């Protein structure tokens, strides 16, 4: 049953990411290279890709460095927290300013709603004690920090920001930094909540 869960996670996450890539290429407003860079400038895309790679590592059980890294202790908890951030930011901030239709609507729901909930469900049923080490989990905070630095530096040269709440050109540097601080704070809260919930879940399982 667990393997079927992982195979479905692999298929649905790669389907969503690849489909979104095709849609963005078809509707591009810049050359191919710039469009590809912009595609991977979205935290949504990067995090869903990490989810897809995580399930790929689980299904294939390969020992390559990247796939091996994604199944290390604590990784599943960190990935779950960040994909939940993707879902929360979309539902609370972006949904009201974005009204996709057709296939784009389906892909958006997969990337921002279904996959975050699916990952949370997988984590809930398969989290282990070794996945709840605060040290291993919080190392992953480097991921959103590096992402934010990249977006800010690149945006200062290209004037392209993937999200309105990071758009320094429109809202100013101070407001953008404040928004990123809020997101990092929410990430920490989610990580702590998952660590606490995970420990309670394991305790119930033993009982």
């Amino acid at each position: 049953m667990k393997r079927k869960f992982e195979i479905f996670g692999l298929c649905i996450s790669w389907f969503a990411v690849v489909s979104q890539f095709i849609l963005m290429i078809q509707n591009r407003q810049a050359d191919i290279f710039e469009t590809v860079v912009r595609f991977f400038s979205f935290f949504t895309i990067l995090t869903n890709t990490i989810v897809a790679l995580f399930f790929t590592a689980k299904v294939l059980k390969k020992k390559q460095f990247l796939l091996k890294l994604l199944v290390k202790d604590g990784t599943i908890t960190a990935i779950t927290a960040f994909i939940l951030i993707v879902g929360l930011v979309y539902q609370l901030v972006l949904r009201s300013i974005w009204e996709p239709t057709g296939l784009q609507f389906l892909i958006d729901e997969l990337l921002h709603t279904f996959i975050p909930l699916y990952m949370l469900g997988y984590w809930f049923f398969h989290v282990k004690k070794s996945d709840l080490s605060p040290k291993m989990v919080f190392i992953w905070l480097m991921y959103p920090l590096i992402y934010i630095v990249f977006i800010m530096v690149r945006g200062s040269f290209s004037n392209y920001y993937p999200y309105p709440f990071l758009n320094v050109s429109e809202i100013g540097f101070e407001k953008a930094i404040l928004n990123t601080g809020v997101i990092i704070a929410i990430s920490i809260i989610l990580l702590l909540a998952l660590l606490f919930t995970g420990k309670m879940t394991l305790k119930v399982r033993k009982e």
Side-chain angles (χ1 to χ4, degrees), residues 76 80 118-128 194 197-198 200-202 205:
I76 183 176
T80 301
Y118 192 85
M119 189 67 202
L120 177 62
Y122 180 86
W123 173 87
F124 183 81
F125 288 106
H126 301 293
V127 65
K128 305 186 298 293
L194 288 176
T197 303
M200 292 300 100
T201 300
L202 292 180
R205 284 181 192 173

Side-chain angles (χ1 to χ4, degrees), residues 174-186:
E174 291 184 1
K175 181 65 174 178
I177 290 298
L178 177 61
N179 290 338
T180 59
V182 170
I183 293 173
I184 294 297
I186 294 174

Side-chain angles (χ1 to χ4, degrees), residues 102-119:
L103 180 59
Q104 183 63 74
F105 173 79
L106 172 63
I107 300 305
D108 261 37
E109 290 303 317
L110 288 176
L111 292 170
H112 300 104
T113 305
F114 183 81
I115 292 174
L117 292 176
Y118 192 85
M119 189 67 202

